[in-house]
Amino acid sequence: MTSGTITDGPALRDPHTPDSRIGHGPDYLHAEHTLRSWFFTTDHKRIALLYLASITAFFVIGAVTAGLVRLALVVPDGQVFTNDTYNKLFTIHGVVMVWFFLIPSIPATFGNFLIPLMIGARDLAFPKLNLASWYVFMTGAFFTLVSVVLGGVDTGWTFYTPLSTAFSNTWVVPALIGVTIVGFSSILTGLNFVVTIHTMRAPGMTWFRLPIFVWTHYATSLIFLLATPVITVALVLLIAERAFHIGVFDPAYGGDPVLFQHLFWFYSHPAVYIMVLPGMGVISEIVPAFAQKKLFGYRFVAYAAIGLASVTFFVWGHHMFVNGQSDLASVAFSVLSFAVAVPSAVKVYNWTATIHKGSLKLDTPMLYAMGYIGLFVLGGLTGLYLATLAINQHVHATYFVVAHFHYIMVGGTVLAFLGGLHFWWPKFTGRMYIEAWGRISAVLIFIGFNVTFFPQFILGYLGMPRRYHVYPAEFQFLNILSSAGSTILAVGYIFPMIYLVYAIWFGKRAPANPWDARGLEWTVASPPPAHNFLTEPQAPKVPYDYPIQARETGRQHS
Amino acid sequence: MNPTDLALRLWPPAASATAVETDWLILAFTVLTLLLTVPVFVAITWFAIRYRQGEPADRSHGTIRSVLIEISWMLIPFLLTLIFFVWGARLFFISKQAPGDAMVIEAIGRQWMWKFQHPTGQSEINDLHLPIGQPIKIRMISQDVIHNLYFPVFRMQMATLPDRYTEMWFKPDRTGTYRLYCSEYCGTDHSRMDGTLTLMTQADYAAWLQNAGAQQGGQAGAGRAIYESYACGTCHDPGAKVRAPSLAGLYGREVRLADGRIVTADEAYLRDKILNPNRQKLAADYKQVMPAFRNVIPTDDLDRLVAYLKSGRATAQQEASP
Amino acid sequence: MSGGTSVGVRLASHFATVEQQKHAAVLGMWAWLLTELLLFAGLFLTALILRLTHPEAVQAAARHLKFWIGAVNTVVLIGSSLTMSGAIQLSRLGWQRGMVRFMLATAALGTLFLALKGYEYYADYHEHMMPFLSDRPYALTDSPPSRLFVNLYYVATGLHGLHLLTGIAILLAMTRQASRPGFLAAHQNRIEIFGLYWHFIDLIWIVAFPTLYVLNR
């Protein structure tokens, strides 16, 4: 192993690793077969699949609890569960969905798999650290599952003190430990991405030749690095407060319960963009590929990602307009929250302009992308309603907020996740899924989602508070409508789990580039070889070099 | 009218001018939203049909790409939405400045009930009766976790925090029966921490007060009873055996502390001194003998006691006593 | 004496050049230190805010902190940074055995810091200055905010101690590797990268000492 003792001179290689420039190895799925080769792999592609399996499991837990919550809300008098059970159900739904699905969803799976391929690298900069971050994630997951198995938590995913520190009688500490640990997994992933994007780009792959997917992941990673430590401190203090009554959040000792909310939202608002930005990256890949047209306004879209990641650090106070925050602070947070909508709007208009005069194929990923644009726009604009101080005084903590963030989280992140999953599934597995099933479930999810969540905007404006198990009877009709929609949504989620898994064994073999898309990941075989590139990757001179381009005469194509 | 009369309602009732204006605000905002989004949705759908692969569409003279377009669709919608920021902020500031003649209702949130006290001393649990045509200010505090008092009919809510007072005000202008809620998740029976808001004419309200009049004499009157029950007078009355500062006329006066600072005996000072007399706020020339009443005196009793000390009555009654 | 063995870095298979590999490692460590800095900054900021809002209580609590132990510990850690720098210099020259000695000296100083810190905690325990222990009444019961300050002191110094302990463990493990010949020829940059982390722990203490001990006296 040590034959390659090297000075700073030209690189010699460890003879045991096949050189991608020389050898023709098997693809990464078949390079090795043992269980050990999966659980101790340092291949970013295999780690991505480990993450994909884990977050899918968590998505199922989160979705089942959501289904139970919707079931409970069919009747207004809370007869399905006890109040405590209901509170635990929505807490588990929130904790699992936010920290164990949405935050790692796109970065840890697609980001892990695709960033090295897109920039022409053999792996992430720190492959062992990448594996370690999955184990850290699973350790955190273990603690959270322990708390759920022992009897659950009932604080809500926001863990507001003093409820969480002094009044709740549930398993708060294991849940908090789990969430704290998962934060380290995010930090390690973000660190790996930042270093990889900075140092591992193939020769000729300049910053402005990078796909937008890489740009948005770079912005996301910055948020991981800069915001996560703050939630770590906040949660550590919260654990200490609950276990030892140290007093930081207790007014009896000169502490302040609202301080926790500041620390919490200083992370958790940027965390919204941890969930949203990678989704924007996915959409920015899908839309040009299925319009066969160069992405409109590439630089603006790239800068918008960085802009979002920056401004998002200054808007956390809009979660606390009615929590006794000073009025001037509220006004400042309000106007900054309006400003944060600007880069989002840039992206939406540029995607629309990309479709204009393209040559559209309405395949499954594109259907998801179009659904995404519609739902994200609604979610974003209702966010502006919430940023308007006078409206916020009314709809704060009502179902309006619930509807708003589900339009962003489900309409945004989950749809982008599913779109990306269908877009890159052939690359991940080397197989094609059945297109018709894909289209059916995309349409089902879009319809089911809107039936589930649109009534909640109305419920919220009517004044139904969130996290209510027992609610006034006049809200029952809209709640039943919402619950009915969730069953359609559930069917839409179950279909892909079946036909995508089916495709792994029985699907048609996928060509290297089934969508005729641009980008380095499509220049390698499907599935990619174990070391990604058999020949030195050639960076394209322009990103998104599709046949149709703005301000050029359209060329003929098939 | 019972709030559950309607099986399906699509717009909430409004019972104050602010609430009506908030409705106009959100409606106007929705119009702008539609102006901004409908073109995008129509465009996407239209492009998807018009430019589908295989459709013989003109794809030449592709979209003109210019910085001007980018800047304009960045700035114009932003500036338009800023109108609503200003409108919303203006309404918000109005809702923060209670008129001086507002009637003050004390509210206390605790797991899982609301307690309201009228200025005349009557108190209610979970239900609240208010007169219309009169500004009403609610001063509130929590006894345990954070709650949030929410009146959809006024389009208004405010958190109640432990150990800190918060306020909101509104001017009801329509009678009827409406709902109030706790909107900040507060534990097991959060969803049962709701109640009924009854808005009535001034005359009806006066009559209601008569009938409901449990504790006459108001906050301060009730406070006198608290003063007695905690035996504050044993030390603080003039002529008491234990030498403690007289509380007569203390409120609003300047007090010299043992460490030389001079502070004004405001409400926060009174509360602090009762809950925790040892907090470096010992008055000059006195020894530290008073026990702390934190976790001893309930918040509503404390409120009444402070109201009593604030009222002139403490002075009069103490001077009358031997 | 092993003056001037070859110095270098063995290329990991996924990097194209050694330069790229070294750049990645340095950038990675800096990014990690940035997150660490934010972690501690939150705690120090809370301590400073507390000082502003409750000056007397914080002073009362700070009077119980062992200023001289803190001061000696500051000197000890600065000394350990010096020996670490020495180890880095020697590693660049390829003097592997000298480097190992300096690394051991660094680990020893780090351990001395922890021992002094442990003694300080012990003294605090005796003085009933551990308000989070429910079976040991707190000395300054009449000043609740001081309790909070003392608790923050334990969180901050405990977290710092944990970092130092991790640092010593990594250092000893690396010393073991470096005691075999050929270490510097393949892994010289590990010393450089670890040096960054060690200096960072030192730096955190240099901020913690005035924030907790000095400013409040």
Side-chain angles (χ1 to χ4, degrees), chain A residues 144-484:
Chain A
T144 305
L145 287 179
V146 161
S147 97
V148 170
V149 169
L150 286 178
V153 209
D154 71 347
T155 59
W157 77 277
T158 45
F159 296 112
Y160 273 13
T161 177
L163 179 67
S164 60
T165 50
F167 291 88
S168 171
N169 293 315
T170 53
W171 298 89
V172 180
V173 171
L176 284 174
I177 292 176
V179 174
T180 313
I181 293 176
V182 160
F184 283 103
S185 159
S186 306
I187 291 178
L188 296 180
T189 304
L191 186 151
N192 224 334
F193 286 174
V194 166
V195 174
T196 305
I197 296 168
H198 266 284
T199 61
M200 307 280 285
R201 284 171 282 126
M205 184 55 98
T206 58
W207 282 91
F208 287 104
R209 291 176 184 173
L210 291 172
I212 294 297
F213 182 88
V214 177
W215 273 100
T216 56
H217 275 75
Y218 184 75
T220 307
S221 304
L222 290 182
I223 304 177
F224 273 141
L225 287 178
L226 297 176
T228 318
V230 179
I231 191 80
T232 307
V233 170
L235 294 174
V236 165
L237 288 175
L238 201 65
I239 294 168
E241 178 83 38
R242 183 165 172 100
F244 303 110
H245 308 291
I246 62 166
V248 248
F249 304 130
D250 184 351
Y253 298 119
D256 185 357
V258 181
L259 173 66
F260 175 74
Q261 297 181 19
H262 281 284
L263 292 173
F264 181 85
W265 289 114
F266 183 83
Y267 165 78
S268 293
H269 193 79
V272 171
Y273 290 89
I274 291 177
M275 307 172 201
V276 166
L277 276 165
M280 292 174 159
V282 171
I283 302 303
S284 301
E285 300 305 309
I286 294 177
V287 168
F290 288 87
Q292 287 293 303
K293 190 176 162 212
K294 186 180 156 78
L295 182 73
F296 193 87
Y298 169 87
R299 277 191 188 232
F300 277 89
V301 179
Y303 285 135
I306 304 295
L308 272 179
S310 321
V311 186
T312 184
F313 278 98
F314 303 99
V315 298
W316 78 88
H318 68 213
H319 295 267
M320 289 175 287
F321 287 155
V322 298
N323 287 18
Q325 173 176 267
S326 91
D327 299 346
L328 274 175
S330 292
V331 170
F333 282 123
S334 173
V335 73
L336 282 165
S337 307
F338 274 79
V340 88
V342 174
S344 305
V346 167
K347 296 200 179 234
V348 170
Y349 287 124
N350 279 295
W351 292 325
T352 312
T354 306
I355 298 175
H356 180 225
K357 295 200 173 180
S359 171
L360 262 71
K361 285 178 292 183
L362 296 180
D363 291 339
T364 312
M366 189 60 177
L367 291 182
Y368 278 112
M370 287 168 61
Y372 171 98
I373 296 173
L375 301 183
F376 178 75
V377 164
L378 270 183
L381 282 164
T382 49
L384 285 183
Y385 287 29
L386 284 164
T388 309
L389 291 161
I391 299 177
N392 187 284
Q393 272 184 316
H394 175 41
V395 292
H396 174 87
T398 65
Y399 263 86
F400 193 92
V401 176
V402 176
H404 155 70
F405 71 71
H406 279 92
Y407 266 78
I408 297 284
M409 306 287 149
V410 183
T413 313
V414 175
L415 254 60
F417 178 78
L418 288 169
L421 201 61
H422 288 84
F423 187 48
W424 285 298
W425 193 253
K427 186 57 61 187
F428 293 170
T429 63
R431 303 287 182 145
M432 301 300 290
Y433 51 87
I434 301 165
E435 179 60 30
W437 282 102
R439 291 187 191 177
I440 291 171
S441 59
V443 172
L444 273 181
I445 288 176
F446 185 79
I447 295 171
F449 175 83
N450 279 302
V451 177
T452 308
F453 291 102
F454 196 82
Q456 297 186 0
F457 280 123
I458 305 168
L459 278 173
Y461 202 77
L462 286 173
M464 177 168 168
R466 63 191 289 208
R467 297 170 170 178
Y468 260 41
H469 183 215
V470 180
Y471 61 86
E474 70 255 33
F475 300 142
Q476 188 177 11
F477 178 82
L478 289 168
N479 270 298
I480 291 177
L481 191 60
S482 176
S483 297

Side-chain angles (χ1 to χ4, degrees), chain A residues 5-29:
Chain A
T5 301
I6 307 301
T7 52
D8 278 354
L12 295 181
R13 268 167 210 296
D14 189 327
H16 287 265
T17 42
D19 188 325
S20 61
R21 274 176 282 194
I22 309 160
H24 286 263
D27 69 67
Y28 80 103
L29 289 171

